[in-house]
Amino acid sequence: MTLAIVLAADAAAGLTTGAGERLADRLVGQWRRAGASDVLVAADLTELAALVAGATGPVLVSGADLVAHTAVLRHLATSPVGPTVALVLTDPPAAGQVPVREERGQVVAVGDPEGATGVFGGALRVGAADLPTLAAAAEAAAAGQASAAGAVDRLFAELAACGTLSFAHRVRLLVAHRVNTPAEADRAEAAVAAVDEDRAELRLSVKERDDFFTTFFVSTWSVYVTKAAARLRLSPTAVTMISVAFAVAAALLFGAGGRPALVAGAVLLYLGFVLDCVDGQLARYTRQFSAWGGWLDTMADRAKEYLVYAGLGYGATHAGFRYGWALAIAAMTLQTVRHMTDTWYGVLHDEAARRPRPATEPAGGIGGKLNAASTKVQADTGSVSYWLKRTVVFPIGERWALIAVAAAFFGPLVALCAVLAWGTLAFAYTGALRTLRARWMRVPVMATVDVAVHRDEWSVMPRIGGPRRPGPLALALLGAVGPVVLLVAALWSGSAGRFDGSWALLAVLVLLVATGGARASHTGPLDWLVPAALRAGEYLFAIAAGVAGRAPAWLIFGYVFVLTLHHYDLTARLEKRQAAPPLHNWSLGWDGRSAILALAAIAGITSIALVTLGAYLLVVFVASVVLAWVVLPARARRAPVPVGGGGRSPG
């Protein structure tokens, strides 16, 4: 249940529209159309605090001086960016309005005009977990009546002062203005009437900032597909599934080989990517957001891409290239480790935005200069440097475009080599720059999460203990050396026609050195790289064990693919602010899984171990998904909900 409260505590509450309707009354109707279950009017902040105290779900609050499209309120009410979201306008600040500064979509400063990027728009959505703080902020704001700011502005300022993290919802294409006089209200109403609300919402379904290929070769026409999907009443999840089907068909065609099949596969891959964009656009257009949908979209994107790699690997092998599957495995491993660093760098950057550096602090050497240069380029939207920066990192649109073009014209082998070459350069570029910037930021981001979950270690292994020095990153990187040694030994032994199992034992012992980092403090400026380093070590060890044990290349690919699903599940839940998988402890940890493979390699049953362990992990993954997204939510819905206090309903 979502409660909306119109705070009619200021003089603007008495303003009327051109039709003679009070602005406060019109906002009541707009909040209802925006999806609020109940709409109440509070005469002052004290009454608002009492209403909030009885609420059990999200609460929408607005002043009575807001003139806006109903879509603006609906977008605020359904925003997926975070539990507590504030409307932010770019209007020049009027008397009593609160300036705000936002970074990476987060409101990081309230009330300070220096560096302000907008003003508070007089409306906010407060998540259920922040309701006690909202009630306390309302009481505190009520005690500060001497302030010149409006009631809703004082409320928001107090909420920020209490430490509540608010995300910013900016108004784009639609209209929202705060008014204080009848003339201002008339001008705002005219501006609202001049904009086609539905057409603006359709345009808003496209991301404001996307990558080059997506912007110019997909989003120019995908909105028409989005509109058609909405008319057909397709859900974003249904579009995601259709996109998966297109990608699977493309993978099969790439594997079949032959010019007609390769060209058809390239076309299907492109159309599948268009649908991959449409599912998000449809969610934004119809406001159908859910944690499940976001998680599924992330997981489907990765699964589709790696199935295409599998098709390319099979196609290259079928065409006579001996190491086609090896290239596919390398591409998947590289891309997954890249994604792990992308995710954790994003978390690092978000945390850094919440801890703004003092304006008087020096730039901080090369890291600070790189940060300033990056910010400047990002602000120069549409420039050559802007597009180069967005393209060189090899985003998904560019990857799929490269695969489609290379496969259609040159075949699977060239497509895989091109992906590996560009991916390696992009990884080196982003890795170097991000490392320098992270050293300048000095944000201990790993200290803000459950380290044990994201290290993905078997719960028993950390009890063995380990040195506190060197740090966890150094130990993780050292552990990755073991698989490399084993792979070299396996290749050398293969040329000699034999394999010495002692190499596997030595490699896993070196790999398990990384478990010593579990007991160390993950507060270093580069410890955000630890999860990616651990993933790299496990994948390399699995590949090495498979090569040493003469396992089929497709089986090695399949096992690593299952591992990537497990690890993407962790990062997707991190991004969607969801709890760890319910059966996480059943996944044995990277150290437990690697130890099992090492014993299997020594015993000469590597292929059996890969099949058995891979099947087990896949079952645990599927069971965990069903528990997390079906069983547990169903139980929560059946649980009794306490009935809150009532409120004064308008009219």
Side-chain angles (χ1 to χ4, degrees):
M1 177 177 176
T2 302
L3 170 67
I5 303 174
V6 177
L7 183 56
D10 300 313
L15 291 177
T16 59
T17 66
E21 184 182 21
R22 292 172 66 242
L23 289 185
D25 294 334
R26 185 170 73 172
L27 280 167
V28 168
Q30 286 185 295
W31 276 125
R32 286 200 176 104
R33 293 193 297 277
S37 307
D38 194 13
V39 185
L40 305 173
V41 176
D44 53 38
L45 288 165
T46 301
E47 184 178 356
L48 183 143
L51 295 176
V52 169
T56 58
V59 171
L60 304 163
V61 179
S62 71
D65 61 347
L66 181 63
V67 176
H69 283 107
T70 300
V72 171
L73 304 182
R74 182 169 59 250
H75 292 184
L76 176 66
T78 57
S79 176
V81 298
T84 297
V85 187
L87 188 67
V88 175
L89 307 179
T90 56
D91 295 349
Q97 292 184 357
V98 177
V100 299
R101 179 164 62 87
E102 62 167 302
E103 288 187 23
R104 293 180 62 84
Q106 304 168 111
V107 177
V108 298
V110 176
D112 184 3
E114 184 176 354
T117 56
V119 295
F120 174 53
L124 69 156
R125 184 193 72 203
V126 182
D130 292 329
L131 292 184
T133 308
L134 177 64
E139 294 285 4
Q145 296 289 347
S147 172
V152 71
D153 297 277
R154 297 198 305 274
L155 174 65
F156 180 59
E158 285 290 344
L159 187 65
C162 291
T164 300
L165 172 62
S166 298
F167 293 84
H169 177 75
R170 280 191 169 273
V171 178
R172 187 168 62 93
L173 301 182
L174 295 166
V175 175
H177 295 296
R178 299 182 68 183
V179 299
N180 292 303
T181 65
E184 290 178 353
D186 290 342
R187 287 195 296 270
E189 284 191 337
V192 168
V195 175
D196 185 322
E197 192 170 16
D198 183 69
R199 181 176 296 180
E201 285 196 272
L202 186 60
R203 290 177 59 194
L204 283 169
S205 69
V206 177
K207 289 181 180 178
E208 183 177 6
R209 292 188 175 191
D210 218 327
D211 303 313
F212 182 85
F213 180 80
T214 306
T215 299
F216 294 104
F217 295 94
V218 175
S219 297
T220 50
W221 66 278
S222 61
V223 289
Y224 303 109
V225 182
T226 299
K227 184 72 171 180
R231 287 176 175 171
L232 293 171
R233 299 185 182 276
L234 292 177
S235 68
T237 297
V239 176
T240 298
M241 292 297 98
I242 297 172
S243 173
V244 170
F246 272 60
V248 170
L252 292 174
L253 289 169
F254 289 150
R259 189 63 56 197
L262 293 175
V263 172
V267 172
L268 286 177
L269 187 64
Y270 169 67
L271 294 177
F273 179 66
V274 172
L275 291 176
D276 182 47
C277 296
V278 167
D279 61 5
Q281 292 173 6
L282 182 63
R284 288 184 287 273
Y285 181 56
T286 60
R287 310 311 292 175
Q288 297 181 52
F289 297 114
S290 68
W292 156 252
W295 177 90
L296 180 64
D297 183 54
T298 298
M299 298 300 293
D301 284 351
R302 303 289 75 80
K304 288 185 296 186
E305 184 170 359
Y306 295 164
L307 288 175
V308 168
Y309 289 175
L312 294 171
Y314 177 84
T317 303
H318 186 67
F321 182 69
R322 180 180 178 184
Y323 299 108
W325 278 109
L327 290 177
I329 294 169
M332 178 171 60
T333 301
L334 172 65
Q335 194 56 46
T336 304
V337 174
R338 279 193 63 203
H339 278 139
M340 297 298 119
T341 60
D342 290 345
T343 296
W344 283 102
Y345 185 72
V347 175
L348 169 78
H349 225 175
D350 288 342
E351 186 64 25
R354 299 180 196 126
R355 308 181 185 190
R357 304 170 74 93
T360 56
E361 189 170 317
I366 189 171
K369 293 176 181 177
L370 285 172
N371 188 72
S374 177
T375 302
K376 182 179 179 181
V377 170
Q378 289 287 7
D380 192 12
T381 308
S383 67
V384 174
S385 57
Y386 172 84
W387 288 120
L388 283 175
K389 187 177 188 299
R390 295 194 70 93
T391 303
V392 72
V393 298
F394 204 25
I396 184 170
E398 276 66 11
R399 290 199 304 275
W400 284 44
L402 179 63
I403 290 171
V405 172
F409 287 97
F410 306 105
L413 176 59
V414 173
L416 282 172
C417 290
V419 167
L420 274 170
W422 193 344
T424 301
L425 291 174
F427 192 27
Y429 166 76
T430 57
L433 295 185
R434 288 173 177 177
T435 297
L436 291 170
R437 293 180 68 183
R439 287 182 61 85
W440 171 75
M441 293 181 201
R442 295 193 173 277
V443 175
V445 67
M446 288 294 291
T448 66
V449 300
D450 188 336
V451 174
V453 168
H454 293 287
R455 283 183 63 93
D456 187 31
E457 277 171 341
W458 189 26
S459 58
V460 175
M461 298 303 288
R463 298 176 191 170
I464 296 174
R468 294 181 181 273
R469 290 283 184 247
L473 178 59
L475 290 173
L477 294 174
L478 178 63
V481 173
V484 176
V485 172
L486 176 58
L487 183 59
V488 173
L491 292 174
W492 179 83
S493 299
S495 63
R498 57 186 176 82
F499 173 69
D500 187 351
S502 60
W503 283 106
L505 179 61
L506 175 62
V508 77
L509 289 176
V510 175
L511 179 67
L512 293 179
V513 166
T515 61
R519 298 183 61 187
S521 174
H522 290 61
T523 56
L526 298 182
D527 284 346
W528 58 278
L529 291 168
V530 168
L534 294 176
R535 302 300 86 85
E538 181 179 8
Y539 298 163
L540 289 173
F541 184 84
I543 295 167
V547 172
R550 306 293 193 272
W554 60 264
L555 180 56
I556 300 173
F557 182 96
Y559 178 75
V560 176
F561 176 72
V562 173
L563 289 180
T564 65
L565 290 180
H566 169 65
H567 291 132
Y568 277 123
D569 187 20
L570 289 177
T571 56
R573 290 171 184 273
L574 175 69
E575 291 175 331
K576 308 305 175 187
R577 304 179 187 89
Q578 298 297 304
L583 301 180
H584 177 70
N585 289 336
W586 288 73
S587 63
L588 306 178
W590 67 265
D591 42 358
R593 296 187 294 264
S594 299
I596 291 172
L597 286 182
L599 294 175
I602 294 172
I605 55 171
T606 304
S607 293
I608 295 175
L610 288 173
V611 171
T612 305
L613 189 55
Y616 168 77
L617 292 174
L618 186 59
V619 169
V620 170
F621 169 75
V622 173
S624 190
V625 169
V626 172
L627 273 175
W629 301 109
V630 180
V631 177
L632 295 180
R635 289 179 183 174
R637 286 192 296 269
R638 289 196 298 267
V641 178
V643 179
R648 180 168 62 87
S649 182

